[in-house]
């Protein structure tokens, strides 16, 4: 390591890759243990661990080119991601939570407070299971349960999201083979043409507090004609849908570049 650059060697990238796969696999592992009967839990956990072992053996055969990131860029990226997450409501440190956080907080609260699997009883003979994309919340809820603190669960959700976000950015930089600062800058401002659609349908410039993508809602107010979120919209409203996708997508692009096609199989499996 020099005074101005952080170098990522082949071995370091192999370890980061394994950590990325473990990060994606962890919610599955928690789900298998917390939701399934013992015999099924043991089976699926064994399959998952076997897949990670297979992946690690394949990872050690991949020769990654050493690449570098400016120390200043690395520090700015880490602080920027943390500031964005905190300002949009993660960790509940400020009041910047969008409307969808009502759902996020409710799911995390129920995962923390209720026994697993989470079952709701509406009437005497009527029960309903929590049916949602809960993988994003499971590690944080598990930490909260272990520490007997919902506040710990909220902070853990910030921590796990932060780690996942940084892993996604790491592999984006690696996949694009571009300057880290430029890659991250373009990533954060990337968007479709919602701003033009809004101007055409509303006849005015978009206001900062408005839903930029709502120009595409059909007349009945239910369905979107098309809905391609900008990165900013994704971060503020639905980051739980994107973290795993970013990590897996950019890693698969790296695998394709390296012709490590066998490793694409577990990566796709970890996003199903």
């Amino acid at each position: 390591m020099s005074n101005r650059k952080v170098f990522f060697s082949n071995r370091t990238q192999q370890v980061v890759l394994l950590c990325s796969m473990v990060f994606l696999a962890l919610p599955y592992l928690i789900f298998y243990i917390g939701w399934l009967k013992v015999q099924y839990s043991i089976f699926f956990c064994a399959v998952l661990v076997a897949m990670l072992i297979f992946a690690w053996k394949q990872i050690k055969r991949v020769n990654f080119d050493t690449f570098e990131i400016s120390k200043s860029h690395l520090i700015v990226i880490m602080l920027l991601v943390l500031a964005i997450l905190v300002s949009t409501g993660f960790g509940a440190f400020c009041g910047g939570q969008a409307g969808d956080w009502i759902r996020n907080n409710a799911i995390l609260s129920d995962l923390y407070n209720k026994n697993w699997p989470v079952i709701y009883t509406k009437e005497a003979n009527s029960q309903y299971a929590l049916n949602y994309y809960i993988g994003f919340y499971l590690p944080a809820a598990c930490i909260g349960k272990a520490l007997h603190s919902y506040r710990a669960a909220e902070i853990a959700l910030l921590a796990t999201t932060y780690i996942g976000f940084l892993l996604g950015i790491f592999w984006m930089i690696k996949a694009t083979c571009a300057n880290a600062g430029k890659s991250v800058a373009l990533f954060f401002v990337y968007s479709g043409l919602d701003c033009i659609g809004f101007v055409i349908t509303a006849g005015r410039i978009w206001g900062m507090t408005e839903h930029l993508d709502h120009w595409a809602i059909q007349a009945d107010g239910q369905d979107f004609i098309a809905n391609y979120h900008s990165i900013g919209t994704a971060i503020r409203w639905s980051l739980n849908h994107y973290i795993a996708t970013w990590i897996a997508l950019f890693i698969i692009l790296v695998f394709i570049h390296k012709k490590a096609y066998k490793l694409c199989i577990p990566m796709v499996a970890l996003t199903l």
Side-chain angles (χ1 to χ4, degrees), residues 95-124:
Q97 293 183 339
D100 282 2
W101 272 96
I102 297 174
R103 176 202 61 216
N104 294 336
N105 292 330
I107 292 173
L108 183 62
S109 176
D110 284 354
L111 288 172
Y112 168 73
N113 287 299
K114 296 180 179 294
N115 293 327
W116 293 357
V118 175
I119 302 294
Y120 304 100
T121 302
K122 187 176 181 180
E123 299 172 356

Side-chain angles (χ1 to χ4, degrees), residues 8-26 51-65 67 163-164 166-172 174-175 244 246-268 270-271:
F8 293 90
S9 65
N10 174 56
R11 186 63 174 179
T12 300
Q13 293 175 68
Q14 289 176 342
V15 172
V16 173
L17 177 53
L18 179 64
C19 290
S20 301
M21 299 188 77
V22 170
F23 178 87
L24 294 176
L26 184 59
M51 185 179 69
L52 290 175
I53 292 174
F54 165 80
W56 176 239
K57 290 180 179 179
Q58 296 297 317
I59 288 170
K60 291 190 291 185
R61 298 178 182 178
V62 180
N63 184 25
F64 291 106
D65 298 326
F67 78 101
I163 293 170
L166 290 180
L167 287 173
I169 287 178
F170 176 89
W171 291 112
M172 177 198 65
K174 177 66 179 178
W246 290 337
I247 295 173
L249 173 63
F250 291 122
I251 289 178
I252 288 173
L253 290 176
V254 172
F255 287 163
I256 292 174
H257 177 70
K258 288 292 181 181
K259 294 182 171 57
Y261 302 115
K262 288 183 179 180
L263 278 168
C264 291
I265 298 172
M267 285 309 307
V268 172
L270 288 173
T271 60

